[in-house]
């Protein structure tokens, strides 16, 4: 871990986590890629036993608001999640030429070293007010970026659970 970076675990706080695709490339720009991410997020949540309070999947980064897992730390959650999503995204059908087996998002024949940027940003959330602030921030992200006109139009976030009365593709846990 870089000098000066401290992570605070074991306090029962929520964690507002942000992480990016490699070189902030839009590797999650397709609905298929975002669907894969959301499915794997649900699988990891069920396996590791953490609360998923909110999320948004953007084309080149992700925001999560999660509780601490029953075993391990949010760092372990991110390690597993990033690894699984990268493997699923790199998985290609065997029919076709070697050129077709490259990552579909590699630029002009350049092979990408990684799917995810190393590290992540983690902010401890320990008040209701800060939790609401982070949820509002993440849900507004697709609108601010000009991807949609209203948060309800972005399927890859927890907005529908809180304000739309919808279940969505992944179960959201209310913060305790």
């Amino acid at each position: 871990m870089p000098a000066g970076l401290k992570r605070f675990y074991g306090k029962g706080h929520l964690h507002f986590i942000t992480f990016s695709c490699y070189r902030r490339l839009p590797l999650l720009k397709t609905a298929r890629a975002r669907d894969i991410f959301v499915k794997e997020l649900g699988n990891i949540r069920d396996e590791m036993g953490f609360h998923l309070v909110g999320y948004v999947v953007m084309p080149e980064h992700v925001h999560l608001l999660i509780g601490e897992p029953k075993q391990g730390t949010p760092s372990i959650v991110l390690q597993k999640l990033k690894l699984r999503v990268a493997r699923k995204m790199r998985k290609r059908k065997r029919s076709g030429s070697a050129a077709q087996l490259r990552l579909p998002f590699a630029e002009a024949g350049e092979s990408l070293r990684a799917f995810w940027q190393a590290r992540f940003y983690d902010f401890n959330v320990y008040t209701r007010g800060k939790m609401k602030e982070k949820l509002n921030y993440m849900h507004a992200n697709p609108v601010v970026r000009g991807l949609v006109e209203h948060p309800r139009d972005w399927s890859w976030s927890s907005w529908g659970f809180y304000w739309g009365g919808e279940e969505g593709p992944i179960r959201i846990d209310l913060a305790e």
Side-chain angles (χ1 to χ4, degrees):
M1 190 172 346
L5 178 63
K6 294 194 188 290
R7 302 210 190 274
F8 296 98
Y9 298 147
K11 307 242 186 236
H13 296 157
L14 292 175
H15 295 267
F16 178 68
I17 293 174
T18 301
F19 54 101
S20 300
C21 296
Y22 184 63
R23 295 183 181 167
R24 285 196 58 92
L25 292 169
L27 304 182
L28 297 169
K29 69 182 175 186
T30 66
R32 176 186 168 274
R34 292 187 298 270
D35 288 344
I36 287 170
F37 180 89
V38 169
K39 181 179 179 198
E40 291 308 315
L41 174 60
N43 291 341
I44 295 287
R45 184 262 312 275
D46 292 342
E47 289 171 25
M48 295 197 67
F50 62 88
H51 290 293
L52 176 62
V53 178
Y55 74 96
V56 66
V57 183
M58 300 294 289
E60 70 294 314
H61 72 281
V62 176
H63 295 294
L64 302 175
L65 186 57
I66 66 171
E68 295 183 4
K70 291 179 180 169
Q71 290 188 324
T73 65
S75 293
I76 306 274
V77 168
L78 266 288
Q79 179 186 27
K80 288 184 176 193
L81 179 60
K82 286 177 160 186
L83 184 62
R84 281 215 200 143
V85 171
R87 283 182 177 163
K88 295 267 176 165
M89 290 300 297
R90 289 175 181 270
K91 197 176 204 179
R92 307 295 295 158
K93 291 181 180 176
R94 292 290 174 193
S95 61
S97 71
Q100 291 174 322
L101 294 177
R102 274 193 224 114
L103 290 171
F105 31 75
E107 302 169 20
E110 178 192 345
S111 185
L112 293 178
R113 273 188 41 213
F115 188 89
W116 298 107
Q117 196 67 31
R119 301 190 189 95
F120 62 94
Y121 172 78
D122 182 1
F123 179 90
N124 285 52
V125 176
Y126 47 88
T127 67
R128 274 259 192 261
K130 195 54 84 171
M131 180 186 83
K132 288 179 182 176
E133 175 190 313
K134 296 303 183 186
L135 284 169
N136 289 337
Y137 173 82
M138 71 171 74
H139 294 146
N141 217 247
V143 176
V144 171
R145 292 283 308 284
L147 299 172
V148 292
E149 299 223 357
H150 192 277
R152 75 174 155 262
D153 302 326
W154 190 254
S155 301
W156 302 275
S157 86
S158 52
W159 184 91
F161 174 82
Y162 288 100
W163 292 279
E166 303 166 8
E167 268 300 306
I170 186 171
R171 187 182 82 247
I172 300 300
D173 304 301
L174 290 173
E176 298 170 358

